[in-house]
Every structure is written in structure tokens, then in C-alpha cells.
Amino acid sequence: MAIALYQAKAEFFRMLGHPVRIRVLELLQAGPTPVRELLAELRIEPSSLSQQLAVLRRSGIVTATREGSTVVYALAGGDVTELLRAARRILTGLIADQHVLLAELRAAAD
């Protein structure tokens, strides 16, 4: 068994395991975005955003380029968009199933 492969996969999903990082990836789907625009959208402290962007950069999932004094972030590839779409589909199904279960529970209580 290739335990290193599963460790790498676990690390990848851990890297995604922060709400700010997920939101940054969603924002970057629209295209390269300057840090100031990410800050305006996220409404978090610059140091917090910097920390989360550093995690995404180290993982290789985003790239950073400097345009004058502005740092612009972008997705490293289109696969991230597909991953986020798949996650949205999975969550939509899970939430729909929960609503069905809740309705059944309420009906059974009556």
C-alpha cells in the first residue's frame, strides 16, 4: 500500500480545510485578483489573509505575481475550479438529503 500517496492526499485536503482559503479559491475563479480586492471582499485582517495566501502558495494551488507595488493572485490551474464545483454538487446533495430527513422527522412527530 502506498501510504505516502494517502498522506499527500490528506495533506491536500487539510490545506483546503479553512473557510478563508476556500473563499479565496472561489474568488480567484473569476480570474487573477489583487490582494486589495481580496481584502475588500473578505473583510479580514491583512495579516490573516497573508497567512492563508501563504498556505495556498506553498501548496502550489495559487500563484502570485507582482505588478508594480501590487501582488496579484491567480489559480495555478483549472482543476481547482472543477474541484470546487464537485464540492458544491456534493454539498447540495447532502443538504437536500438532510431536508428530506428533517421533513420525515417532523411528519413522524405529528
Side-chain angles (χ1 to χ4, degrees):
M1 180 176 354
I3 217 63
L5 172 63
Y6 297 107
Q7 183 66 35
K9 287 179 180 182
E11 289 297 322
F12 175 78
F13 283 107
R14 237 186 317 278
M15 177 271 302
L16 293 174
H18 193 284
V20 170
R21 292 193 290 260
I22 296 294
R23 184 65 181 128
V24 166
L25 294 175
E26 288 180 343
L27 292 170
L28 294 179
Q29 289 180 95
T33 307
V35 170
R36 70 179 176 285
E37 289 181 26
L38 293 172
L39 279 169
E41 185 69 34
L42 294 166
R43 298 186 180 122
I44 62 173
E45 292 295 320
S47 60
S48 180
L49 178 58
S50 179
Q51 183 180 29
Q52 301 311 323
L53 287 169
V55 171
L56 293 171
R57 250 190 351 264
R58 279 192 306 272
S59 74
I61 203 165
V62 301
T63 61
T65 55
R66 186 169 291 280
E67 297 176 3
S69 63
T70 302
V71 178
V72 177
Y73 283 85
L75 295 177
D79 290 340
V80 175
T81 297
E82 287 304 312
L83 176 65
L84 293 171
R85 284 186 187 135
R88 197 173 301 118
R89 284 191 305 271
I90 291 166
L91 285 173
T92 299
L94 292 173
I95 291 168
D97 290 347
Q98 289 174 357
H99 284 290
V100 169
L101 179 59
L102 180 60
E104 290 173 2
L105 285 170
R106 286 184 175 150
D110 293 339

